[in-house]
Amino acid sequence: MSRCCENIYQNARKGANLTQQQAAELLHISPRSLCDYESGKTVPADDIVCNMIEVYGTEWLGYQHLKQSTLVGQKYLPDIECTDLAKSVLRLQKEVSDLDNVNRDMIDIACDGVIHDHEEPIWRNITKEIYEMAGAALAVIFSR
């Protein structure tokens, strides 16, 4: 999603074909503030990021902002790789297939509503596959 030496805010602005001056005016912030966000010196407040999303037309920016700038996002949101639509769809199909491969185990474990000690490693694998599928699904959504 981000290019070398660029952060998510800079990448989103450049994807919208805006200069820092143009973007700052549209966002109603100073060019210095925008420069600080894009250089990583400061993290923009959520309301500024919401404005960036609207102005730049980049829904993925909200997700990446939460993923990178909050502990909750870093710890619990799945990684996403935003690429072109075709690659994203193919990856999602692969992850759906992987999840289908563990579907029987998931049903067997869930039937009694309890994850027994001997089922724990299998359940960890199931949740890993679900997590990967969730990230792939988000990549499809954000590939526009």
Side-chain angles (χ1 to χ4, degrees), residues 18-69:
L18 294 171
T19 66
Q20 278 189 334
Q21 183 66 39
Q22 291 168 325
E25 288 174 19
L26 292 169
L27 295 168
H28 308 290
I29 61 174
S30 72
R32 179 80 241 151
S33 292
L34 184 58
C35 183
D36 288 348
Y37 302 148
E38 292 186 0
S39 68
K41 186 175 180 182
T42 60
V43 176
D46 291 347
D47 62 321
I48 299 293
V49 176
C50 286
N51 288 341
M52 288 177 174
I53 292 165
E54 295 293 320
V55 168
Y56 302 159
T58 52
E59 290 183 356
W60 60 263
L61 183 58
Y63 186 89
Q64 288 297 81
H65 169 74
L66 294 173
K67 177 79 174 145
Q68 290 184 13
S69 68

Side-chain angles (χ1 to χ4, degrees), residues 58-107:
T58 52
E59 290 183 356
W60 60 263
L61 183 58
Y63 186 89
Q64 288 297 81
H65 169 74
L66 294 173
K67 177 79 174 145
Q68 290 184 13
S69 68
T70 68
L71 183 58
V72 171
Q74 292 165 10
K75 197 166 182 178
Y76 297 105
L77 294 178
D79 290 330
I80 60 172
E81 179 187 347
C82 288
T83 58
D84 62 75
L85 181 61
K87 186 174 179 182
S88 295
V89 168
L90 289 172
R91 178 161 176 258
L92 176 59
Q93 291 302 312
K94 179 228 177 270
E95 296 303 341
V96 167
S97 177
D98 289 352
L99 188 58
D100 194 41
N101 290 335
V102 297
N103 191 47
R104 172 55 46 205
D105 289 335
M106 184 167 42
I107 292 168

